[in-house]
Short mmCIF file of all heavy atoms in Angstrom, two decimals:
data_model
loop_
_atom_site.label_atom_id
_atom_site.label_comp_id
_atom_site.label_asym_id
_atom_site.label_seq_id
_atom_site.Cartn_x
_atom_site.Cartn_y
_atom_site.Cartn_z
N LEU A 93 121.42 130.80 89.40
CA LEU A 93 120.22 131.03 88.60
C LEU A 93 119.96 132.56 88.44
O LEU A 93 119.63 133.02 87.32
CB LEU A 93 118.99 130.41 89.23
CG LEU A 93 118.83 128.88 89.11
CD1 LEU A 93 117.49 128.47 89.69
CD2 LEU A 93 119.04 128.35 87.65
N ALA A 99 120.03 130.13 82.45
CA ALA A 99 120.45 128.87 83.12
C ALA A 99 119.21 127.98 83.44
O ALA A 99 118.13 128.52 83.56
CB ALA A 99 121.12 129.10 84.44
N ARG A 100 119.40 126.67 83.37
CA ARG A 100 118.36 125.71 83.77
C ARG A 100 118.96 124.78 84.87
O ARG A 100 120.13 124.45 84.71
CB ARG A 100 117.93 124.82 82.61
CG ARG A 100 117.06 125.49 81.54
CD ARG A 100 115.57 125.55 81.95
NE ARG A 100 114.82 124.29 81.65
CZ ARG A 100 114.33 123.99 80.57
NH1 ARG A 100 114.49 124.78 79.46
NH2 ARG A 100 113.63 122.86 80.36
N VAL A 101 118.14 124.37 85.76
CA VAL A 101 118.61 123.35 86.73
C VAL A 101 118.38 121.97 86.12
O VAL A 101 117.46 121.77 85.30
CB VAL A 101 117.98 123.44 88.15
CG1 VAL A 101 118.25 124.81 88.68
CG2 VAL A 101 116.52 123.13 88.07
N ILE A 102 119.23 121.03 86.47
CA ILE A 102 119.00 119.62 86.10
C ILE A 102 119.06 118.81 87.38
O ILE A 102 119.87 119.08 88.30
CB ILE A 102 120.11 119.19 85.08
CG1 ILE A 102 119.70 117.77 84.60
CG2 ILE A 102 121.50 119.23 85.59
CD1 ILE A 102 120.37 117.45 83.23
N ALA A 103 118.12 117.89 87.49
CA ALA A 103 118.07 117.03 88.67
C ALA A 103 118.35 115.59 88.18
O ALA A 103 119.49 115.17 88.04
CB ALA A 103 116.69 117.20 89.36
N GLY A 104 117.29 114.80 87.92
CA GLY A 104 117.53 113.41 87.40
C GLY A 104 117.95 113.42 85.96
O GLY A 104 118.56 112.42 85.47
N GLY A 105 117.65 114.45 85.20
CA GLY A 105 118.05 114.52 83.80
C GLY A 105 117.22 113.62 82.89
O GLY A 105 117.47 113.51 81.69
N GLN A 106 116.17 113.01 83.44
CA GLN A 106 115.42 112.05 82.62
C GLN A 106 114.42 112.70 81.66
O GLN A 106 113.91 112.05 80.77
CB GLN A 106 114.67 111.09 83.57
CG GLN A 106 115.53 110.24 84.45
CD GLN A 106 116.61 109.44 83.56
OE1 GLN A 106 116.21 108.61 82.81
NE2 GLN A 106 117.87 109.75 83.81
N SER A 107 114.14 113.97 81.84
CA SER A 107 113.38 114.70 80.90
C SER A 107 114.18 115.76 80.19
O SER A 107 114.19 115.90 78.98
CB SER A 107 112.15 115.40 81.58
OG SER A 107 111.30 114.41 82.07
N LEU A 108 115.01 116.54 80.98
CA LEU A 108 115.86 117.58 80.38
C LEU A 108 116.93 116.99 79.52
O LEU A 108 117.22 117.53 78.45
CB LEU A 108 116.40 118.41 81.50
CG LEU A 108 117.14 119.73 81.02
CD1 LEU A 108 116.25 120.57 80.11
CD2 LEU A 108 117.65 120.55 82.17
N GLY A 109 117.49 115.87 79.91
CA GLY A 109 118.55 115.21 79.10
C GLY A 109 118.11 114.93 77.67
O GLY A 109 118.71 115.46 76.71
N PRO A 110 116.94 114.17 77.49
CA PRO A 110 116.53 113.94 76.15
C PRO A 110 116.17 115.22 75.43
O PRO A 110 116.41 115.32 74.21
CB PRO A 110 115.25 113.06 76.38
CG PRO A 110 115.42 112.43 77.72
CD PRO A 110 116.29 113.38 78.53
N MET A 111 115.54 116.17 76.16
CA MET A 111 115.15 117.43 75.46
C MET A 111 116.43 118.18 74.96
O MET A 111 116.43 118.77 73.90
CB MET A 111 114.35 118.32 76.41
CG MET A 111 112.95 117.85 76.61
SD MET A 111 112.14 118.78 77.90
CE MET A 111 112.04 120.34 77.19
N ALA A 117 115.69 121.84 74.10
CA ALA A 117 116.11 122.79 75.16
C ALA A 117 117.59 123.00 74.91
O ALA A 117 118.38 122.09 74.68
CB ALA A 117 115.91 122.19 76.50
N LEU A 122 123.98 125.10 82.82
CA LEU A 122 123.28 123.99 83.43
C LEU A 122 123.71 123.92 84.91
O LEU A 122 124.88 123.82 85.28
CB LEU A 122 123.66 122.67 82.71
CG LEU A 122 122.65 121.56 82.80
CD1 LEU A 122 121.30 122.01 82.26
CD2 LEU A 122 123.13 120.37 81.99
N VAL A 123 122.79 123.99 85.77
CA VAL A 123 123.03 123.96 87.24
C VAL A 123 122.59 122.65 87.82
O VAL A 123 121.38 122.39 87.94
CB VAL A 123 122.26 125.17 87.93
CG1 VAL A 123 122.55 125.20 89.43
CG2 VAL A 123 122.68 126.48 87.29
N LEU A 125 121.82 119.90 90.43
CA LEU A 125 121.36 119.92 91.84
C LEU A 125 121.86 118.68 92.57
O LEU A 125 121.56 118.55 93.80
CB LEU A 125 119.86 120.05 91.96
CG LEU A 125 119.22 121.21 91.28
CD1 LEU A 125 117.66 121.21 91.60
CD2 LEU A 125 119.77 122.55 91.88
N ASN A 126 122.53 117.77 91.94
CA ASN A 126 122.76 116.41 92.53
C ASN A 126 123.62 116.41 93.74
O ASN A 126 123.66 115.43 94.47
CB ASN A 126 123.23 115.43 91.47
CG ASN A 126 122.00 114.96 90.61
OD1 ASN A 126 121.24 114.11 91.12
ND2 ASN A 126 121.81 115.60 89.54
N LEU A 131 118.31 117.80 99.95
CA LEU A 131 116.99 117.98 99.27
C LEU A 131 116.39 116.63 99.03
O LEU A 131 115.43 116.50 98.25
CB LEU A 131 117.15 118.78 97.94
CG LEU A 131 117.43 120.29 98.04
CD1 LEU A 131 117.32 120.93 96.68
CD2 LEU A 131 116.43 120.96 99.06
N ALA A 145 112.79 117.69 97.04
CA ALA A 145 112.72 117.71 95.59
C ALA A 145 113.68 116.71 94.93
O ALA A 145 113.37 116.18 93.85
CB ALA A 145 113.15 119.14 95.09
N LEU A 146 114.83 116.39 95.57
CA LEU A 146 115.72 115.47 94.94
C LEU A 146 115.48 114.01 95.29
O LEU A 146 116.26 113.17 94.96
CB LEU A 146 117.15 115.89 95.33
CG LEU A 146 118.25 115.77 94.29
CD1 LEU A 146 117.91 116.62 93.06
CD2 LEU A 146 119.62 116.14 94.86
N THR A 147 114.40 113.75 95.90
CA THR A 147 113.98 112.35 96.27
C THR A 147 113.65 111.61 94.95
O THR A 147 112.80 112.09 94.19
CB THR A 147 112.83 112.31 97.19
OG1 THR A 147 113.12 113.24 98.28
CG2 THR A 147 112.63 110.99 97.79
N ARG A 148 114.33 110.57 94.70
CA ARG A 148 114.14 109.76 93.44
C ARG A 148 112.77 109.04 93.44
O ARG A 148 112.22 108.70 94.53
CB ARG A 148 115.18 108.70 93.26
CG ARG A 148 116.65 109.19 93.49
CD ARG A 148 117.21 110.03 92.39
NE ARG A 148 118.43 110.63 92.77
CZ ARG A 148 119.14 111.49 92.05
NH1 ARG A 148 118.73 111.84 90.87
NH2 ARG A 148 120.24 112.01 92.52
N HIS A 149 112.21 108.85 92.23
CA HIS A 149 110.91 108.22 92.20
C HIS A 149 110.96 106.82 92.92
O HIS A 149 109.93 106.46 93.58
CB HIS A 149 110.52 107.91 90.71
CG HIS A 149 110.49 109.20 89.86
ND1 HIS A 149 110.07 110.40 90.29
CD2 HIS A 149 110.84 109.35 88.58
CE1 HIS A 149 110.20 111.31 89.39
NE2 HIS A 149 110.67 110.66 88.29
N ALA A 168 101.30 105.25 92.56
CA ALA A 168 101.48 105.93 91.25
C ALA A 168 102.99 106.03 90.90
O ALA A 168 103.38 105.83 89.72
CB ALA A 168 100.83 107.29 91.33
N ALA A 169 103.83 106.32 91.90
CA ALA A 169 105.24 106.50 91.62
C ALA A 169 105.88 105.18 91.11
O ALA A 169 106.76 105.23 90.24
CB ALA A 169 106.01 107.01 92.87
N THR A 171 104.67 103.23 89.07
CA THR A 171 104.32 103.00 87.67
C THR A 171 105.11 103.90 86.74
O THR A 171 104.86 103.90 85.49
CB THR A 171 102.81 103.17 87.43
OG1 THR A 171 102.48 104.58 87.57
CG2 THR A 171 101.94 102.36 88.33
N ILE A 172 105.92 104.74 87.22
CA ILE A 172 106.67 105.72 86.37
C ILE A 172 107.73 104.98 85.56
O ILE A 172 108.64 104.38 86.14
CB ILE A 172 107.39 106.87 87.22
CG1 ILE A 172 106.33 107.68 87.92
CG2 ILE A 172 108.22 107.74 86.29
CD1 ILE A 172 106.90 108.76 88.87
N GLY A 173 107.62 105.01 84.24
CA GLY A 173 108.67 104.54 83.34
C GLY A 173 109.16 103.13 83.76
O GLY A 173 108.37 102.23 84.09
N HIS A 174 110.51 102.98 83.77
CA HIS A 174 111.12 101.72 84.18
C HIS A 174 112.03 101.94 85.40
O HIS A 174 112.25 103.07 85.77
CB HIS A 174 111.95 101.22 82.97
CG HIS A 174 111.21 101.14 81.70
ND1 HIS A 174 110.45 100.04 81.39
CD2 HIS A 174 111.08 102.00 80.69
CE1 HIS A 174 109.88 100.29 80.22
NE2 HIS A 174 110.22 101.47 79.77
N ILE A 177 114.68 104.62 85.04
CA ILE A 177 114.13 105.99 85.10
C ILE A 177 113.78 106.37 86.60
O ILE A 177 114.12 107.47 86.96
CB ILE A 177 112.80 106.07 84.29
CG1 ILE A 177 112.97 105.51 82.87
CG2 ILE A 177 112.24 107.52 84.27
CD1 ILE A 177 113.84 106.22 82.03
N ARG A 178 113.16 105.41 87.24
CA ARG A 178 112.78 105.70 88.63
C ARG A 178 113.97 105.90 89.59
O ARG A 178 113.88 106.56 90.56
CB ARG A 178 111.86 104.56 89.16
CG ARG A 178 110.49 104.51 88.52
CD ARG A 178 109.50 103.61 89.29
NE ARG A 178 109.92 102.21 89.31
CZ ARG A 178 109.68 101.36 88.38
NH1 ARG A 178 108.99 101.69 87.28
NH2 ARG A 178 110.05 100.07 88.49
N ARG A 180 116.70 107.45 88.82
CA ARG A 180 117.32 108.78 88.56
C ARG A 180 116.32 109.93 88.73
O ARG A 180 116.62 110.95 89.25
CB ARG A 180 117.95 108.80 87.14
CG ARG A 180 119.25 108.01 87.01
CD ARG A 180 120.32 108.48 87.98
NE ARG A 180 120.73 109.84 87.80
CZ ARG A 180 121.52 110.53 88.65
NH1 ARG A 180 121.94 109.88 89.74
NH2 ARG A 180 121.87 111.76 88.45
N GLY A 181 115.14 109.73 88.08
CA GLY A 181 114.19 110.83 88.06
C GLY A 181 113.80 111.24 89.46
O GLY A 181 113.80 110.46 90.43
N THR A 182 113.50 112.57 89.60
CA THR A 182 113.23 113.10 90.98
C THR A 182 111.83 113.59 91.07
O THR A 182 111.18 114.09 90.06
CB THR A 182 114.19 114.22 91.31
OG1 THR A 182 113.96 115.30 90.45
CG2 THR A 182 115.61 113.80 91.20
N LEU A 183 111.30 113.65 92.26
CA LEU A 183 109.99 114.27 92.54
C LEU A 183 109.92 115.71 92.10
O LEU A 183 109.00 116.15 91.37
CB LEU A 183 109.70 114.15 94.06
CG LEU A 183 108.37 114.77 94.49
CD1 LEU A 183 107.34 113.73 94.83
CD2 LEU A 183 108.52 115.72 95.64
N GLY A 184 110.93 116.51 92.46
CA GLY A 184 110.97 117.89 92.07
C GLY A 184 111.06 118.07 90.58
O GLY A 184 110.35 118.92 90.00
N GLY A 185 111.82 117.21 89.89
CA GLY A 185 111.97 117.31 88.44
C GLY A 185 110.60 117.04 87.79
O GLY A 185 110.20 117.75 86.86
N SER A 186 109.90 116.05 88.26
CA SER A 186 108.60 115.67 87.67
C SER A 186 107.62 116.74 87.87
O SER A 186 106.86 117.12 86.95
CB SER A 186 108.17 114.35 88.22
OG SER A 186 106.86 114.04 87.70
N LEU A 187 107.55 117.35 89.08
CA LEU A 187 106.55 118.41 89.30
C LEU A 187 106.91 119.65 88.54
O LEU A 187 106.02 120.31 87.95
CB LEU A 187 106.55 118.75 90.87
CG LEU A 187 106.07 117.61 91.75
CD1 LEU A 187 106.12 118.04 93.22
CD2 LEU A 187 104.64 117.11 91.38
N ALA A 188 108.23 120.01 88.45
CA ALA A 188 108.62 121.22 87.72
C ALA A 188 108.47 121.05 86.25
O ALA A 188 108.15 121.97 85.51
CB ALA A 188 110.08 121.56 88.05
N HIS A 189 108.67 119.80 85.75
CA HIS A 189 108.51 119.53 84.31
C HIS A 189 107.04 119.62 83.92
O HIS A 189 106.73 120.06 82.80
CB HIS A 189 109.08 118.17 84.00
CG HIS A 189 109.24 117.87 82.55
ND1 HIS A 189 109.98 118.64 81.71
CD2 HIS A 189 108.71 116.84 81.78
CE1 HIS A 189 109.93 118.16 80.47
NE2 HIS A 189 109.15 117.01 80.50
N ALA A 190 106.11 119.18 84.80
CA ALA A 190 104.67 119.35 84.60
C ALA A 190 104.13 118.77 83.27
O ALA A 190 103.37 119.44 82.55
CB ALA A 190 104.30 120.86 84.69
N ASP A 191 104.63 117.54 83.03
CA ASP A 191 104.01 116.84 81.82
C ASP A 191 102.59 116.49 82.24
O ASP A 191 102.37 115.93 83.33
CB ASP A 191 104.82 115.57 81.60
CG ASP A 191 104.41 114.93 80.32
OD1 ASP A 191 103.19 114.70 80.08
OD2 ASP A 191 105.27 114.59 79.47
N ALA A 193 100.72 114.16 81.40
CA ALA A 193 100.48 112.74 81.55
C ALA A 193 101.28 112.11 82.69
O ALA A 193 101.17 110.92 82.91
CB ALA A 193 100.84 112.08 80.25
N ALA A 194 102.03 112.95 83.42
CA ALA A 194 102.93 112.38 84.47
C ALA A 194 102.17 112.04 85.71
O ALA A 194 101.19 112.77 86.09
CB ALA A 194 104.06 113.37 84.73
N GLN A 195 102.63 110.99 86.41
CA GLN A 195 101.90 110.52 87.57
C GLN A 195 101.98 111.54 88.78
O GLN A 195 100.99 111.75 89.50
CB GLN A 195 102.52 109.18 88.07
CG GLN A 195 102.21 108.01 87.19
CD GLN A 195 103.12 107.82 85.98
OE1 GLN A 195 103.83 108.75 85.60
NE2 GLN A 195 103.11 106.61 85.44
N LEU A 196 103.20 112.10 89.05
CA LEU A 196 103.32 112.86 90.24
C LEU A 196 102.53 114.23 90.24
O LEU A 196 101.87 114.50 91.27
CB LEU A 196 104.81 113.07 90.61
CG LEU A 196 105.61 111.77 90.75
CD1 LEU A 196 107.04 112.04 91.29
CD2 LEU A 196 104.88 110.82 91.77
N PRO A 197 102.50 114.92 89.11
CA PRO A 197 101.59 116.05 89.13
C PRO A 197 100.15 115.71 89.28
O PRO A 197 99.38 116.40 90.01
CB PRO A 197 101.82 116.67 87.70
CG PRO A 197 103.23 116.28 87.34
CD PRO A 197 103.38 114.88 87.90
N ALA A 208 106.77 123.72 97.80
CA ALA A 208 107.65 124.80 98.36
C ALA A 208 108.74 125.15 97.31
O ALA A 208 109.43 124.25 96.81
CB ALA A 208 108.27 124.32 99.63
N VAL A 209 108.88 126.38 97.03
CA VAL A 209 109.94 126.80 96.08
C VAL A 209 110.74 127.92 96.75
O VAL A 209 110.25 128.73 97.55
CB VAL A 209 109.34 127.29 94.76
CG1 VAL A 209 108.44 126.33 94.10
CG2 VAL A 209 108.61 128.60 94.90
N PHE A 223 99.88 125.67 91.13
CA PHE A 223 101.26 125.51 90.62
C PHE A 223 101.24 125.08 89.18
O PHE A 223 102.02 125.54 88.37
CB PHE A 223 101.90 124.39 91.50
CG PHE A 223 103.35 124.16 91.16
CD1 PHE A 223 104.36 125.04 91.55
CD2 PHE A 223 103.70 123.05 90.36
CE1 PHE A 223 105.64 124.82 91.22
CE2 PHE A 223 105.04 122.80 90.01
CZ PHE A 223 106.03 123.73 90.43
N THR A 230 104.55 126.00 84.81
CA THR A 230 104.17 126.07 86.25
C THR A 230 104.30 127.48 86.80
O THR A 230 104.76 128.35 86.08
CB THR A 230 105.06 125.15 87.10
OG1 THR A 230 106.39 125.77 87.07
CG2 THR A 230 105.11 123.74 86.56
N LEU A 232 106.49 128.34 88.90
CA LEU A 232 107.89 128.59 89.23
C LEU A 232 108.45 129.70 88.36
O LEU A 232 108.27 129.71 87.16
CB LEU A 232 108.72 127.32 88.83
CG LEU A 232 109.07 126.27 89.82
CD1 LEU A 232 109.78 125.13 89.11
CD2 LEU A 232 109.95 126.86 90.91
N GLU A 233 109.20 130.62 89.01
CA GLU A 233 109.87 131.67 88.26
C GLU A 233 111.22 131.07 87.79
O GLU A 233 111.72 130.11 88.40
CB GLU A 233 110.12 132.86 89.18
CG GLU A 233 108.88 133.56 89.69
CD GLU A 233 108.10 134.31 88.56
OE1 GLU A 233 108.70 134.52 87.47
OE2 GLU A 233 106.89 134.51 88.73
N PRO A 234 111.80 131.62 86.73
CA PRO A 234 113.01 131.01 86.19
C PRO A 234 114.21 131.02 87.18
O PRO A 234 115.07 130.13 87.12
CB PRO A 234 113.40 131.92 85.03
CG PRO A 234 112.16 132.67 84.66
CD PRO A 234 111.28 132.71 85.90
N GLU A 236 113.87 130.43 90.44
CA GLU A 236 113.43 129.70 91.66
C GLU A 236 113.75 128.17 91.52
O GLU A 236 113.81 127.63 90.42
CB GLU A 236 111.93 129.83 91.92
CG GLU A 236 111.57 131.23 92.38
CD GLU A 236 110.06 131.38 92.62
OE1 GLU A 236 109.22 130.89 91.82
OE2 GLU A 236 109.68 132.03 93.59
N ILE A 237 113.89 127.56 92.70
CA ILE A 237 114.12 126.07 92.70
C ILE A 237 113.07 125.47 93.60
O ILE A 237 112.77 125.98 94.68
CB ILE A 237 115.55 125.81 93.30
CG1 ILE A 237 116.61 126.27 92.25
CG2 ILE A 237 115.71 124.28 93.59
CD1 ILE A 237 118.04 126.06 92.75
N LEU A 238 112.43 124.39 93.07
CA LEU A 238 111.48 123.63 93.85
C LEU A 238 112.25 122.90 94.90
O LEU A 238 113.19 122.13 94.59
CB LEU A 238 110.74 122.73 92.88
CG LEU A 238 109.45 122.03 93.31
CD1 LEU A 238 108.69 121.62 92.12
CD2 LEU A 238 109.60 120.96 94.26
N VAL A 239 111.89 123.05 96.21
CA VAL A 239 112.66 122.37 97.21
C VAL A 239 111.97 121.23 97.87
O VAL A 239 112.70 120.27 98.24
CB VAL A 239 113.17 123.39 98.31
CG1 VAL A 239 114.24 124.31 97.74
CG2 VAL A 239 112.03 124.20 98.90
N SER A 240 110.69 121.24 97.92
CA SER A 240 109.94 120.07 98.52
C SER A 240 108.48 120.15 98.17
O SER A 240 107.99 121.23 97.67
CB SER A 240 110.10 120.06 100.04
OG SER A 240 109.48 121.22 100.61
N TYR A 254 94.33 103.80 91.76
CA TYR A 254 95.04 104.45 90.69
C TYR A 254 95.01 103.49 89.48
O TYR A 254 95.25 102.29 89.61
CB TYR A 254 96.49 104.69 91.07
CG TYR A 254 97.31 105.25 89.96
CD1 TYR A 254 97.21 106.58 89.59
CD2 TYR A 254 98.10 104.46 89.16
CE1 TYR A 254 97.90 107.11 88.54
CE2 TYR A 254 98.81 104.97 88.05
CZ TYR A 254 98.74 106.28 87.76
OH TYR A 254 99.41 106.83 86.69
N GLN A 256 96.04 103.44 85.06
CA GLN A 256 96.45 104.18 83.87
C GLN A 256 96.40 103.29 82.64
O GLN A 256 96.50 102.07 82.77
CB GLN A 256 97.89 104.79 84.05
CG GLN A 256 99.00 103.75 84.11
CD GLN A 256 100.37 104.42 84.22
OE1 GLN A 256 100.57 105.24 85.00
NE2 GLN A 256 101.25 103.99 83.24
N SER A 258 98.52 102.76 79.13
CA SER A 258 99.65 103.15 78.22
C SER A 258 99.74 102.13 77.14
O SER A 258 99.16 101.01 77.27
CB SER A 258 100.97 103.03 79.02
OG SER A 258 100.89 103.50 80.35
N GLY A 262 105.52 100.85 80.99
CA GLY A 262 106.67 101.79 81.12
C GLY A 262 106.58 103.03 80.25
O GLY A 262 107.26 104.00 80.45
N ASP A 263 105.62 102.97 79.29
CA ASP A 263 105.33 104.22 78.50
C ASP A 263 104.56 105.22 79.37
O ASP A 263 103.89 104.86 80.29
CB ASP A 263 104.52 103.92 77.28
CG ASP A 263 105.30 103.28 76.15
OD1 ASP A 263 106.52 103.03 76.34
OD2 ASP A 263 104.70 103.03 75.04
N PHE A 264 104.64 106.44 78.97
CA PHE A 264 103.79 107.52 79.58
C PHE A 264 102.33 107.04 79.43
O PHE A 264 101.98 106.45 78.39
CB PHE A 264 103.99 108.84 78.91
CG PHE A 264 105.01 109.75 79.57
CD1 PHE A 264 106.29 109.82 79.07
CD2 PHE A 264 104.63 110.44 80.73
CE1 PHE A 264 107.22 110.62 79.72
CE2 PHE A 264 105.57 111.26 81.32
CZ PHE A 264 106.85 111.37 80.85
N ALA A 265 101.52 107.41 80.40
CA ALA A 265 100.11 107.10 80.29
C ALA A 265 99.45 107.90 79.22
O ALA A 265 99.80 109.10 78.99
CB ALA A 265 99.39 107.43 81.64
C1 FAD B 186 112.07 106.49 78.72
C2 FAD B 186 111.41 107.32 79.74
C3 FAD B 186 110.19 107.06 80.25
C4 FAD B 186 109.57 107.91 81.15
N1 FAD B 186 108.34 107.57 81.63
C5 FAD B 186 107.71 108.42 82.49
C6 FAD B 186 106.41 108.04 83.00
O1 FAD B 186 105.84 107.02 82.61
N2 FAD B 186 105.85 108.95 83.83
C7 FAD B 186 106.49 110.12 84.25
O2 FAD B 186 105.92 110.83 85.00
N3 FAD B 186 107.68 110.39 83.79
C8 FAD B 186 108.31 109.59 82.98
N4 FAD B 186 109.56 109.89 82.50
C9 FAD B 186 110.18 111.17 82.97
C10 FAD B 186 110.80 110.99 84.36
O3 FAD B 186 109.76 110.79 85.33
C11 FAD B 186 111.56 112.22 84.77
O4 FAD B 186 112.30 111.82 85.91
C12 FAD B 186 110.75 113.45 85.25
O5 FAD B 186 109.84 113.89 84.32
C13 FAD B 186 111.64 114.62 85.49
O6 FAD B 186 112.45 114.43 86.65
P1 FAD B 186 114.06 114.65 86.54
O7 FAD B 186 114.51 114.66 87.92
O8 FAD B 186 114.61 113.62 85.67
O9 FAD B 186 114.13 116.13 85.99
P2 FAD B 186 115.08 116.74 84.90
O10 FAD B 186 114.99 116.03 83.59
O11 FAD B 186 116.40 116.96 85.51
O12 FAD B 186 114.41 118.18 84.75
C14 FAD B 186 113.11 118.31 84.17
C15 FAD B 186 112.68 119.79 84.27
O13 FAD B 186 112.47 120.16 85.57
C16 FAD B 186 113.30 121.22 85.99
N5 FAD B 186 113.73 120.92 87.33
C17 FAD B 186 114.22 119.71 87.79
N6 FAD B 186 114.36 119.82 89.12
C18 FAD B 186 113.94 121.05 89.50
C19 FAD B 186 113.84 121.70 90.75
N7 FAD B 186 114.16 121.11 91.92
N8 FAD B 186 113.42 122.99 90.81
C20 FAD B 186 113.11 123.59 89.62
N9 FAD B 186 113.10 123.01 88.44
C21 FAD B 186 113.58 121.76 88.39
C22 FAD B 186 114.47 121.21 84.94
O14 FAD B 186 115.05 122.47 84.82
C23 FAD B 186 113.74 120.79 83.71
O15 FAD B 186 113.15 121.83 83.11
C24 FAD B 186 110.21 109.09 81.61
C25 FAD B 186 111.50 109.43 81.11
C26 FAD B 186 112.07 108.54 80.17
C27 FAD B 186 113.49 108.94 79.66
#
Side-chain angles (χ1 to χ4, degrees):
L93 284 187
R100 285 278 280 276
V101 301
I102 188 160
Q106 299 304 298
S107 295
L108 188 55
M111 285 171 67
L122 206 56
V123 179
L125 301 182
N126 280 282
L131 289 188
L146 217 60
T147 312
R148 313 283 170 187
H149 304 323
T171 68
I172 297 174
H174 306 276
I177 311 294
R178 291 194 295 276
R180 286 302 299 168
T182 65
L183 177 107
S186 178
L187 298 176
H189 190 58
D191 188 310
Q195 286 86 343
L196 301 186
V209 306
F223 183 78
T230 68
L232 262 176
E233 296 292 340
E236 287 181 319
I237 292 177
L238 196 161
V239 288
S240 66
Y254 175 81
Q256 68 175 54
S258 321
D263 281 3
F264 266 98

